[in-house]
Amino acid sequence: MIHDAQMDYYGTRLATCSSDRSVKIFDVRNGGQILIADLRGHEGPVWQVAWAHPMYGNILASCSYDRKVIIWREENGTWEKSHEHAGHDSSVNSVCWAPHDYGLILACGSSDGAISLLTYTGEGQWEVKKINNAHTIGCNAVSWAPAVVPGSLIDQPSGQKPNYIKRFASGGCDNLIKLWKEEEDGQWKEEQKLEAHSDWVRDVAWAPSIGLPTSTIASCSQDGRVFIWTCDDASSNTWSPKLLHKFNDVVWHVSWSITANILAVSGGDNKVTLWKESVDGQWVCISDVNKGQGSVSASVTEGQQNEQ
Amino acid sequence: MGKTRTTSGEGRERQRLPARRFRTTSPAALRADSVDGGSLLAPLLGLTDQAFSDCPDLADGAMEKMSRVTTALGGSVLTGRTMHCHLDAPANAISVCRDAAQVVVAGRSIFKIYAIEEEQFVEKLNLRVGRKPSLNLSCADVVWHQMDENLLATAATNGVVVTWNLGRPSRNKQDQLFTEHKRTVNKVCFHPTEAHVLLSGSQDGFMKCFDLRRKDSVSTFSGEATEAGPREWAMAGWVPVLPVLSCRILRLHHSFAHGPMQDAESTANDARESWGCPLYPLGLCSGPQAGQSESVRDVQFSIRDYFTFASTFENGNVQLWDIRRPDRCERMFTAHNGPVFCCDWHPEDRGWLATGGRDKMVKVWDMTTHRAKEMHCVQTIASVARVKWRPECRHHLATCSMMVDHNIYVWDVRRPFVPAAMFEEHRDVTTGIAWRHPHDPSFLLSGSKDSSLCQHLFRDASQPVERANPEGLCYGLFGDLAFAAKESLVAAESGRKPYTGDRRHPIFFKRKLDPAEPFAGLASSALSVFETEPGGGGMRWFVDTAERYALAGRPLAELCDHNAKVARELGRNQVAQTWTMLRIIYCSPGLVPTANLNHSVGKGGSCGLPLMNSFNLKDMAPGLGSETRLDRSKGDARSDTVLLDSSATLITNEDNEETEGSDVPADYLLGDVEGEEDELYLLDPEHAHPEDPECVLPQEAFPLRHEIVDTPPGPEHLQDKADSPHVSGSEADVASLAPVDSSFSLLSVSHALYDSRLPPDFFGVLVRDMLHFYAEQGDVQMAVSVLIVLGERVRKDIDEQTQEHWYTSYIDLLQRFRLWNVSNEVVKLSTSRAVSCLNQASTTLHVNCSHCKRPMSSRGWVCDRCHRCASMCAVCHHVVKGLFVWCQGCSHGGHLQHIMKWLEGSSHCPAGCGHLCEYS
């Protein structure tokens, strides 16, 4: 059973991971599908995979029920295990790479309730920071905020590394979404607790900030509800939820389109729906992608094309 | 109480099985049948009647041949909750009484019976009596007889098998003592229906069958298969037995190699025996059997086949024995890679045997076929110490591991990677598991090294399968969706048209995990990629637009028209409209000069650029370094040289137009395009002139006017070049490379010039809102494009941060789509410093010495190794830091301008080598 499928940065390769312990990479250019690599190394079902930004090379992270996170790297066309992180006491459910501006940082959420952050320090070394008890019972999803620099870029002397504020969101079995922020001393601190779901939070997705003045997070839960959280005022850091829809079944995934204006939602009923915010701020379903019935329908493309 | 079946309310997870059919056979028939079977058990069989009378409600453990009692679980309900109690010592094994109300816990220093009550465990009896507990009480295994509630057997780590009779009036319940094994007894097992038959398996490699009415074993089975000659060899690659001596040494190694896996004590036993006893002939030490064999880890009587039992060995083998034939095993096969620690017969499916090994696998074998056939294979995450089929659930079994992992898992064998349930109560290795009642799937008991005894309720277990995400979803770059979903869900909707035939998602594949796997139907996925409609093209519009938009290098009106056309062709009518409106707003005839000015501003003060560039190309671009100063100082000293130099520059420029198409021609673009524009758009033909004063401005800094004169020459070539984004991009290159201050000063001047002629900022607000609208729609491309094209006109209306944000977002997007050229152009054209410096951030030049070919390590231009200056100019004898032109014939070269100038006057190499160089 495939648990996750992720396209790489350029949309040319697709990585999938499965219960059978395998991680597979397909070349999906030109509509084909060629199996490039079958990565074996996990000893349990692999829950999630994540591509790192290509500026660091071809790097894929995978997390598994076997409590391990493996970072794979392609070197001269062959994929090999480059690092193995075994710092969790229970199944690792989610991995997510930080925006490339921060360097190679991987956030891992585990069923042991902890979130660990692996930072590449060069020469094959990874530094581990761990947030214990991030979510009681377990953490199901992590998602990084896009890179945002405090204040204006203009005052930054060129060449100096801007002082980014690193943030990410996590969702867990305590029905909460938590926002984490890196303090100046490098420690991670809980910044915000978003409460609206009545059951396990299954996925959180921080929207890419393409042209949007606001920060947006989508979350979905076991309770069938999908919320869109927005924060208009970065200084006060108040987030307001808006119910996108209440589904009849568990909602497993939310995924933003590249321009963050369309949200894809997949639920237990095996359906993918696409949602778009209308002019009056309401989220409307613009398409159904149904197993039996087909694809992203005409309305999507229309929507994108005409920018209505 | 006791033999009860849970009510329907109990445990929603419970599987409902169809009403079971029971075959009734009279005891007489059974006896006759059995007697036919063999002579050895004849004395035992005489007791069959008694056995039946003793155990009227023998439950699922009964053999098929026996009559079964249907009332086994009738009546009251088995109740309880998840609970645990602390033991005084680590447990090694547990066993449940058939009444499902008592459990016995055995360990090295514990041997107690607990009553399982509603809310708690209550200690009922301590069987460890006497002042000086003997080694006989150090239990490796314990088993409670499934027919006689008073009968227990334990296996001691010193090799003794003890039976216990709870019916004895004295405090010491010990009944019989069998001291036939030489080493730790790993396992004891009662015959499921014969009250007096006990089987033991030991580390010494032997299995012994005891009749409890006798003092010694009835028969001994050797794990070694030397003379066995089984009728069929299940595994072809079986290795012939080694000579006694080497075999023994081998085993010694073996025990060390597997040391950690074993009970510490048994390892000690191994060692003691192996070293303590000299290697005398084994015939002496092993009694009736000759030969040595692998340690036995588990023995289990078949539940269905009266005479059959299975044994597992440390070398990975499983043997099947007929109890009447101790001379040889019926069948042997290699089940696991490494020791097989446990096995369990399926309570219902005849001949199904589950085995668990150190290789972290549980395998289910069908023993009824000619060869043992592997039916299922479950992969766990640690070595498997115990395996127990779950009652009433045909495909479920529980396992616990020998080390590392403290949890107990219940697996559905058809779903071999994710456990169906997980019990996480224990803090140390779980050593014993037992289902509380053979017909109840909800209650599991376990003992652990953490000195606790637990009752687990299946209902309370965490269910990783439920937590497992059955779907994967990913939004692709081009607006396509990758979606993996559980097959069974798909199957449920099979009434629908199969999606593979749907025209709307031309790509991708339907893939089963592995169609050969038996669990394919249960847990496999289909992966599909949905493409947006053909024609719609997902994000294709973005790529096309990015590639085709003209952002600079032409007058505003033309840019707007061009972009409007592009948008229209791509079917983006709203965008096209916007461009057209922008043109109307900013390029209406009355505002022509403004338009023109803006155009120039948009290009970063291009009026002054030809000048800047000539200066730049020669000196600045290479390194902004000392040489500039050098040249300039030279120029000051010899003004004629400077003049020459700059004229050379001009020549260069013109030449470049024809030859290289490098940065230079762009400088002329302005003038040329303006000329062109005049014809095209009927703009004021005089428009260029008001700007002339502007162009003069920089001349104060650099006293040359040649450009102005020279500009007109090349309109013919330039027009075609104006279309290429490369050309327009190069202008910005200058803007960013040149001292920013000077270009800014230009900008501000021009700004002041046209400002007075601008209409009120009426449009500014409108355009700003429009840009924000596009940005929020996710079309940051439009926002940035308009920003670049309109340049100064709108910049002031939008705060810097937003602009920067748009820029960076757009650049990110472009890079994702691998539109490097466009991205580069945008970076160059951006007015924000933070953005334009992006281009300089990540370029590294590696310089090698031209003489010794080694990398230049130091910062200077002198090679550390050969102490020579790299790449000297043959004309001026200075180091060339920028463009170096060299003759392929004689390999001499130098500054582009210098060489060109030289070659105008002479056709010989400036280095004096005599080569006739040709500049082409």
Side-chain angles (χ1 to χ4, degrees), chain A residues 1-12 14 16 18-22 24 26-33 43-45 47-48 53 65-67 90 93 100-101 110-111 137-140 147-154 156-159 173 200 202 209-213 222 250 252-272 274 276-277 279 289-298 300-301 303-308, chain B residues 360 378-381 404-407 409 411 415 417-419 422 424 464-486 489-490 493 496-499 502 504-509 511 513 519 522-533 535-539 541-542 570-575 772-780 800-801 804-806 808-810 812-813 815-818 820 832-835 837:
Chain A
M1 178 189 283
I2 298 173
H3 296 294
D4 195 23
Q6 289 293 324
M7 300 225 201
D8 74 346
Y9 188 78
Y10 297 125
T12 57
L14 181 71
T16 64
S18 156
S19 284
D20 67 359
R21 307 165 165 206
S22 70
K24 288 180 178 162
F26 297 91
D27 188 326
V28 294
R29 268 176 297 188
N30 309 321
Q33 80 281 355
E43 293 178 316
W47 297 137
Q48 218 173 66
H53 191 276
Y65 180 75
D66 66 6
R67 305 159 189 199
S90 188
N93 300 321
H100 64 90
D101 319 60
S110 163
S111 286
I137 319 181
C139 171
N140 292 328
V148 177
V149 178
S152 172
L153 275 170
I154 296 173
Q156 294 287 338
S158 60
C173 303
W200 291 9
R202 280 296 181 179
S209 72
I210 298 289
L212 294 171
Q222 197 86 9
V250 187
W252 292 104
H253 274 300
V254 283
S255 177
W256 289 99
S257 73
I258 180 91
T259 48
N261 54 352
I262 299 176
L263 181 72
V265 176
S266 81
D269 51 1
N270 228 29
K271 248 174 154 179
V272 181
L274 301 182
K276 195 172 193 271
E277 194 177 14
V279 184
V289 181
N290 204 314
K291 267 275 112 104
Q293 285 179 332
S295 65
V296 182
S297 74
V300 189
T301 40
Q304 270 192 347
Q305 277 208 301
N306 298 340
E307 276 101 11
Q308 291 306 322
Chain B
K360 305 179 185 178
V378 173
Q379 316 225 3
T380 71
I381 61 174
V404 183
D405 198 352
H406 309 158
N407 298 339
Y409 300 98
W411 304 85
R415 182 82 172 78
F417 299 103
V418 192
M422 184 162 85
E424 300 166 296
V465 169
E466 294 303 309
R467 287 173 74 150
N469 197 336
E471 293 174 350
L473 175 71
C474 176
Y475 226 121
L477 191 57
F478 290 90
D480 34 6
L481 277 171
F483 181 48
K486 204 171 164 181
L489 289 170
V490 184
E493 297 172 30
R496 292 215 179 91
K497 194 174 83 176
Y499 70 91
D502 195 303
R504 277 198 282 182
H505 31 83
I507 51 169
F508 237 85
F509 45 108
R511 189 173 66 95
L513 203 64
F519 63 96
L522 192 71
S524 63
S525 295
L527 173 63
S528 44
V529 171
F530 298 97
E531 208 180 38
T532 41
E533 284 227 299
M539 289 296 279
W541 61 269
F542 178 90
L570 291 171
R572 309 174 68 214
N573 291 324
Q574 195 186 0
V575 177
H772 277 289
F773 167 77
Y774 276 116
E776 274 168 45
Q777 289 293 309
D779 188 1
V780 73
E800 285 282 341
Q801 215 180 329
E804 252 173 52
H805 183 62
W806 290 347
T808 45
S809 306
Y810 186 43
D812 269 356
L813 271 183
Q815 289 180 350
R816 282 199 77 160
F817 284 99
R818 307 197 193 203
W820 311 114
S832 146
R833 258 171 70 192
V835 176
C837 74

Side-chain angles (χ1 to χ4, degrees), chain B residues 770-893:
Chain B
M770 188 260 308
L771 292 188
H772 277 289
F773 167 77
Y774 276 116
E776 274 168 45
Q777 289 293 309
D779 188 1
V780 73
Q781 178 179 51
M782 183 66 185
V784 171
S785 302
V786 171
L787 205 57
I788 292 173
V789 168
L790 292 185
E792 196 62 30
R793 234 179 244 96
V794 284
R795 264 180 55 196
K796 62 183 181 308
D797 291 323
I798 299 162
D799 70 283
E800 285 282 341
Q801 215 180 329
T802 314
Q803 286 191 36
E804 252 173 52
H805 183 62
W806 290 347
Y807 270 118
T808 45
S809 306
Y810 186 43
I811 290 163
D812 269 356
L813 271 183
L814 287 170
Q815 289 180 350
R816 282 199 77 160
F817 284 99
R818 307 197 193 203
L819 298 165
W820 311 114
N821 289 342
V822 184
S823 137
N824 195 33
E825 183 192 353
V826 170
V827 171
K828 283 172 170 175
L829 289 174
S830 75
T831 43
S832 146
R833 258 171 70 192
V835 176
S836 53
C837 74
L838 281 179
N839 255 12
Q840 291 151 37
S842 55
T843 308
T844 315
L845 280 176
H846 297 280
V847 184
N848 281 22
C849 173
S850 57
H851 298 291
C852 62
K853 309 287 185 281
R854 301 246 172 74
M856 303 272 285
S857 53
S858 66
R859 293 180 177 217
W861 292 94
V862 178
C863 175
D864 295 342
R865 294 188 175 79
C866 57
H867 302 290
R868 282 211 261 177
C869 274
S871 51
M872 302 277 281
C873 174
V875 180
C876 68
H877 299 287
H878 283 103
V879 178
V880 182
K881 294 180 185 170
L883 283 176
F884 182 85
V885 64
W886 57 287
C887 170
Q888 293 180 348
C890 65
S891 76
H892 290 117

Side-chain angles (χ1 to χ4, degrees), chain A residues 196-198 217-221 223-230 240-247 251 263 265 275-277 281-285:
Chain A
H197 287 294
S198 57
I217 297 174
S219 67
C220 64
S221 157
D223 64 8
R225 291 189 289 178
V226 175
F227 279 103
I228 306 292
W229 304 82
T230 47
S240 48
K242 178 177 271 179
L243 181 65
L244 179 114
H245 189 65
K246 166 105 172 63
F247 293 85
V251 185
L263 181 72
V265 176
W275 299 78
K276 195 172 193 271
E277 194 177 14
Q282 292 305 309
W283 286 86
V284 285
C285 178

Side-chain angles (χ1 to χ4, degrees), chain B residues 491-732:
Chain B
E493 297 172 30
S494 57
R496 292 215 179 91
K497 194 174 83 176
Y499 70 91
T500 37
D502 195 303
R503 62 168 178 86
R504 277 198 282 182
H505 31 83
I507 51 169
F508 237 85
F509 45 108
K510 179 177 174 176
R511 189 173 66 95
K512 278 190 177 171
L513 203 64
D514 184 355
E517 287 290 315
F519 63 96
L522 192 71
S524 63
S525 295
L527 173 63
S528 44
V529 171
F530 298 97
E531 208 180 38
T532 41
E533 284 227 299
M539 289 296 279
R540 180 53 62 186
W541 61 269
F542 178 90
V543 179
D544 288 344
T545 312
E547 279 170 347
R548 293 174 58 186
Y549 265 2
L551 297 179
R554 283 193 268 173
L556 176 69
E558 200 183 325
L559 290 175
C560 288
D561 276 350
H562 175 87
N563 294 344
K565 185 163 154 268
V566 169
R568 228 181 346 265
E569 280 171 14
L570 291 171
R572 309 174 68 214
N573 291 324
Q574 195 186 0
V575 177
Q577 281 298 325
T578 309
W579 282 113
T580 314
M581 279 167 67
L582 284 175
R583 170 164 138 68
I584 293 168
I585 292 170
Y586 290 104
C587 309
S588 58
L591 297 168
V592 165
T594 317
N596 188 26
L597 259 176
N598 270 288
H599 162 86
S600 65
V601 170
K603 296 196 294 177
S606 50
C607 282
L609 281 179
L611 250 185
M612 302 264 313
N613 218 21
S614 60
F615 160 74
N616 193 1
L617 182 81
K618 189 168 53 131
D619 305 316
M620 293 297 274
L624 291 169
S626 56
E627 196 170 11
T628 307
R629 259 169 270 130
L630 196 75
D631 270 6
R632 208 149 358 150
S633 60
K634 252 198 280 171
D636 287 344
R638 297 172 290 151
S639 60
D640 53 339
T641 320
V642 176
L643 272 172
L644 267 174
D645 261 357
S646 51
S647 65
T649 309
L650 289 169
I651 295 161
T652 312
N653 288 350
E654 279 162 13
D655 280 341
N656 272 341
E657 281 155 27
E658 291 143 19
T659 56
E660 297 172 39
S662 72
D663 289 351
V664 190
D667 303 332
Y668 295 89
L669 198 57
L670 174 66
D672 302 328
V673 172
E674 274 164 1
E676 185 70 23
E677 177 196 311
D678 294 344
E679 295 145 34
L680 280 178
Y681 297 104
L682 304 171
L683 293 177
D684 181 6
E686 300 303 307
H687 71 275
H689 300 302
E691 285 173 69
D692 280 350
E694 243 187 295
C695 299
V696 180
L697 264 173
Q699 290 170 7
E700 293 158 19
F702 203 81
L704 278 177
R705 277 210 55 141
H706 294 260
E707 286 79 16
I708 310 293
V709 184
D710 279 322
T711 308
E716 309 88 88
H717 347 270
L718 282 171
Q719 183 48 41
D720 23 350
K721 294 201 174 173
D723 281 337
S724 99
H726 194 72
V727 172
S728 49
S730 58
E731 290 172 316

